[in-house]
Amino acid sequence: MSQSPKTLFQKIWDAHVVAEEPGAPAVLYIDLHLVHEVTSPQAFAVLKERGLKVRRPDRTVATMDHSIPTRGGYEAADEMGRIQLRLLESNCQAHGIRMYGLDSVQRGIVHVIGPEQGFTQPGMTIVCGDSHTSTHGAFGSLGFGIGTSEVGHVLATQCLLQRKPRTCEVRVDGQLRPGVTAKDIILAVLAKIGVGGGTGHVFEYTGSAIRSLDMEGRMTVCNMSIEGGARAGMVAPDDRTFQFVAGREFAPKGAAWDRAVARWRQLPTDPGATFDKTVTLDASRLEPMVTFGTNPGQGVAITQPLPTPASLSDPNERAGLEKSLAYMKFEPGKPILGQPVDVVFLGSCTNSRLVDLRAAAQLLRGRKVAANVRMMVVPGSQSVKQAAESEGLDRVFKEAGADWREAGCSMCIAMNGDQLSPGQLAVSTSNRNFEGRQGKGGRTVLASPLTAVAAAVAGRIADPRALLS
Amino acid sequence: MSAPKFTTLTARCVVLPVMDVDTDQIIPARFLKVTDKKGLGEKLFCDWRYRDDGSPNPDFVLNRPESQGARILVAGHNFGCGSSREHAPWALVGWGLQAVISTLFADIFKGNSLKNGLLPIEIAPAAHAALVAARTQNPQLPVTVDLHAQTVAWPGQAPLQFPIDPFSRTCLLEGVDELGYLQKFTPQAEAYEAAHA
């Protein structure tokens, strides 16, 4: 008898169930646990209280990214930040956990260094006390964010209690037009389904547009799955995935590599497997996308006018849109193009990889950041920074008038010194435009690296396609 | 080890009928540098609750006299979306809340809340609207939650069933420590590791 067809998600889930008692969630084995300074202190404290050890330090990797200043060095952090960073150091030292500390040339944003160092591999279960752990699904792994209690559970047992989520296929077919990128795909998906549309589900992104994306593009898409409410987003692994992983420090080598690839080739969703629901999008019709409101689902094509609350029939939705537009100081029905910009932020776990910096630098080369704009470029890791510098990308940014920083979450989370002042409008390549996300009173427009550069050059929200030669 | 318990509760509620409230609003990132769970209740909804000079914003619901002593938050659709920070339920519990009623909760927030004795109660939009209306009529409206029966009720409303997965319900009713429960599976985890080495 042949087995019933399975989705990529189902295969990984089934392969990781350690035990399951009736009426209880599954005990799921975790292959890789990523740790950072902000969501781990209280979890390590629980271990200490109970006299427990980290069960598998060899499956645990730590980095400093959220609260570290991108000006470099502990000294740049405030007192609480320094305490938090030092505590991660001592916790990792006490438990024998590999940590990419401030002096490491490989330190960086947790979701950048996981793939970069080869920790992230197809078929794995990957967790981190960070909702953007969905990024790792780009490799055909099951990556999802967890709370600090669960960080403690995984540290102590390498397992997690999980209820099985439902599956949702997000099918994106068609060829992207010039100036339209992976970021625009995911912003369009979010605009279509809204911020709660994926709640209770795991996304699998399929279709020709997804297959055509490079690994960095797939990471950008999977990264923002959580902005649609889906804890995880996945892409079936293919040759492009294997090429990316091959040769990285922690990737399998030699005969182990061959065995791994043979196993990984079995992961893609079987023909005939079904999803609980499906969402479709035509990539060939997409334009550069920008958000206009205070959640990532409030996005429009850059050429479109801002929506009008009066057109919404649901009173709660109308009130939500009114509140968002009022916070953003945007007038309903007006174009978003031409809105004056104060800050441009190129960085975050969504768009801070070498490919992102190259695309931005290519558009910025020979141009200047407008006099009214402060542009910050923050590489996703020190490795990205070094690679960018060896290609001369840093010079392009600096000559254009942008600020070139050390790796970190920077202005995406605004708890490290990099932040907006009240009222400032930023065009950001990050993932969240929530009220005050980039600094109290700050206003955020999410966009692709190309759209961010266009805004930096024009000093206002501008269509990047006008800059393409 | 003791874990937070929840059995029954009768308390007044506060209403914050805003859709898609993200965890950055519940507790802004600048307060995440703490290395313990203390003091977060004071920062709950900080940027909505306090004016720029640090004084309480009298218009914000938590600052109204009738909200003091409330133990239940009636929130809008998709409450707790965004960041996975467990600091969000820590802040809600720190302020004194024990249950949140909404029409939808974000997954990670829901899981984090259950682990901290903060009960997420999902009810249908019509019932939610009726609760908001009843609370508007009577700011002292007592709301009763019975986790054993899985019901929520208020004057004029017969007990309404709400869903909760049986494991979380048992954990809250009996104060089951989830980490302790997980540790019992160590032999199975070891067997799994041996089979996958």
Side-chain angles (χ1 to χ4, degrees):
Chain A
M1 216 175 81
S2 66
Q3 273 198 321
S4 59
K6 286 182 179 179
T7 60
L8 165 63
F9 163 76
Q10 185 75 54
K11 291 179 191 186
I12 298 178
W13 179 273
D14 289 350
H16 288 83
V17 174
V18 165
E20 199 165 14
E21 286 189 339
V27 177
L28 204 65
Y29 194 79
I30 301 304
D31 293 317
L32 176 63
H33 185 192
L34 303 167
V35 172
H36 65 83
E37 74 275 24
V38 172
T39 56
S40 64
Q42 298 86 349
F44 281 111
V46 168
L47 265 65
K48 194 173 181 181
E49 248 171 64
R50 301 189 183 200
L52 298 172
K53 286 189 170 137
V54 173
R55 185 151 177 277
R56 292 295 300 264
D58 57 324
R59 291 188 176 275
T60 313
V61 178
T63 186
M64 297 173 169
D65 53 6
H66 283 65
S67 49
I68 67 131
T70 61
R71 279 169 292 151
Y74 290 99
E75 297 69 28
D78 63 15
E79 194 190 348
M80 285 183 83
R82 276 199 299 274
I83 291 169
Q84 200 171 53
L85 295 166
R86 295 291 187 197
L87 190 56
L88 181 70
E89 267 182 351
S90 60
N91 282 330
C92 289
Q93 202 167 25
H95 292 279
I97 295 169
R98 179 185 302 276
M99 190 199 64
Y100 295 95
L102 270 194
D103 52 353
S104 164
V105 294
Q106 293 156 330
R107 186 191 57 78
I109 305 176
V110 63
H111 310 307
V112 174
I113 68 167
E116 196 169 73
Q117 299 304 322
F119 291 112
T120 302
Q121 296 167 23
M124 280 184 163
T125 48
I126 302 175
V127 298
C128 174
D130 189 287
S131 62
H132 292 111
T133 311
S134 58
T135 311
H136 304 267
F139 290 80
S141 65
L142 176 61
F144 55 92
I146 56 177
T148 295
S149 295
E150 291 177 317
V151 169
H153 296 179
V154 181
L155 287 173
T157 68
Q158 205 57 34
C159 293
L160 203 52
L161 286 166
Q162 283 295 297
R163 285 156 209 96
K164 193 158 90 175
R166 296 185 291 277
T167 55
C168 174
E169 179 186 25
V170 180
R171 184 166 195 90
V172 191
D173 281 311
Q175 194 178 351
L176 289 173
R177 294 183 288 188
V180 186
T181 66
K183 183 64 165 285
D184 303 301
I185 291 180
I186 189 61
L187 287 175
V189 168
L190 297 170
K192 184 167 183 164
I193 66 167
V195 279
T199 303
H201 292 77
V202 163
F203 289 155
E204 182 180 341
Y205 299 95
T206 66
S208 58
I210 301 296
R211 290 259 77 82
S212 303
L213 292 176
D214 57 25
M215 290 311 296
E216 290 81 356
R218 294 178 190 181
M219 284 189 256
T220 299
V221 169
C222 289
N223 172 272
M224 291 187 75
S225 302
I226 184 64
E227 311 314 337
R231 283 181 80 174
M234 314 170 81
V235 174
D238 57 15
D239 286 336
R240 194 167 282 175
T241 317
F242 309 145
Q243 278 162 21
F244 184 101
V245 177
R248 294 188 185 261
E249 188 177 352
F250 294 92
K253 305 279 171 6
W257 170 258
D258 295 335
R259 284 197 302 276
V261 171
R263 209 167 59 240
W264 297 342
R265 287 196 190 283
Q266 306 302 311
L267 288 168
T269 294
D270 297 325
T274 54
F275 296 89
D276 295 305
K277 66 178 185 182
T278 297
V279 175
T280 59
L281 193 74
D282 180 357
S284 68
R285 298 167 66 92
L286 291 182
E287 293 191 277
M289 294 287 296
V290 284
T291 61
F292 58 81
T294 53
N295 74 55
Q298 293 177 313
V300 282
I302 199 164
T303 56
Q304 293 299 302
L306 294 162
T308 49
S311 67
L312 296 176
S313 55
D314 182 298
N316 289 323
E317 286 181 16
R318 198 184 315 130
L321 181 56
E322 274 167 1
K323 186 175 189 294
S324 292
L325 289 173
Y327 181 86
M328 292 300 290
K329 301 189 176 81
F330 286 162
E331 273 185 65
K334 292 282 169 63
I336 193 160
L337 276 172
Q339 294 284 348
V341 169
D342 303 300
V343 173
V344 168
F345 171 58
L346 177 56
S348 88
C349 57
T350 315
N351 282 120
S352 64
R353 299 176 179 85
L354 188 58
V355 168
D356 299 312
L357 302 188
R358 273 186 197 144
Q362 196 183 351
L363 205 60
L364 192 58
R365 199 180 298 272
R367 296 189 165 102
K368 291 282 181 202
V369 174
N372 60 310
V373 171
R374 172 186 172 215
M375 181 177 184
M376 272 185 83
V377 184
V378 185
S381 70
Q382 293 301 89
S383 308
V384 167
K385 179 170 188 268
Q386 196 178 30
E389 287 174 354
S390 71
E391 290 181 18
L393 303 184
D394 60 319
R395 288 200 307 278
V396 176
F397 291 119
K398 285 189 268 194
E399 281 166 16
D403 205 355
W404 176 250
R405 293 296 187 101
E406 305 291 317
C409 298
S410 182
M411 206 186 271
C412 177
I413 184 97
M415 59 180 294
N416 44 52
D418 298 345
Q419 63 192 66
L420 299 177
S421 304
Q424 280 190 321
L425 185 79
V427 172
S428 295
T429 66
S430 52
N431 40 56
R432 287 183 174 144
N433 52 343
F434 298 147
E435 287 183 26
R437 170 75 180 192
Q438 294 195 276
K440 190 180 173 185
R443 301 177 294 149
T444 300
V445 170
L446 301 176
S448 74
L450 299 182
T451 304
V453 167
V457 170
R460 55 193 165 75
I461 294 178
D463 193 328
R465 293 172 295 187
L467 300 182
L468 298 175
S469 47
Chain B
M1 289 283 168
S2 65
K5 280 178 98 162
F6 190 109
T7 49
T8 56
L9 170 69
T10 296
R12 284 180 291 116
C13 52
V14 285
V15 183
L16 184 66
V18 180
M19 280 181 75
D20 303 317
V21 170
D22 55 81
T23 54
D24 273 85
Q25 306 318 311
I26 299 173
I27 183 83
R30 61 183 184 276
F31 302 118
L32 306 191
K33 288 181 192 171
V34 291
T35 51
D36 54 27
K37 304 174 186 178
K38 291 178 204 139
L40 290 169
E42 287 156 39
K43 308 297 182 193
L44 176 66
F45 293 116
C46 189
D47 293 347
W48 291 350
R49 190 169 152 199
Y50 302 105
R51 293 190 284 211
D52 288 343
D53 65 1
S55 63
N57 170 5
D59 296 332
F60 186 66
V61 62
L62 290 191
N63 295 329
R64 289 186 201 142
E66 70 270 21
S67 298
Q68 308 318 306
R71 294 287 170 262
I72 300 170
L73 175 66
V74 180
H77 189 72
N78 193 30
F79 187 73
C81 61
S83 158
S84 61
R85 62 191 67 165
E86 199 162 322
H87 308 66
W90 294 338
L92 290 159
V93 170
W95 191 81
L97 292 162
Q98 295 173 32
V100 187
I101 301 177
S102 175
T103 50
L104 181 72
F105 293 96
D107 291 328
I108 305 178
F109 175 80
K110 190 197 281 183
N112 286 341
S113 296
L114 288 165
K115 288 177 183 63
N116 288 280
L118 180 69
L119 184 66
I121 300 171
E122 224 167 87
I123 59 174
H128 188 272
L131 173 56
V132 172
R135 167 62 174 73
T136 308
Q137 287 271 313
N138 174 13
Q140 302 297 323
L141 185 83
V143 173
T144 297
V145 180
D146 181 341
L147 180 57
H148 196 267
Q150 283 180 238
T151 57
V152 55
W154 55 90
Q157 172 64 58
L160 272 172
Q161 288 279 324
F162 63 87
I164 180 170
D165 83 89
F167 182 78
S168 298
R169 179 172 165 274
T170 305
C171 286
L172 283 173
L173 284 173
E174 297 173 13
V176 175
D177 168 50
E178 287 195 28
L179 176 51
Y181 174 86
L182 256 177
Q183 284 179 292
K184 289 191 300 190
F185 293 95
T186 301
Q188 285 95 322
E190 283 170 354
Y192 179 93
E193 286 168 334
H196 292 80

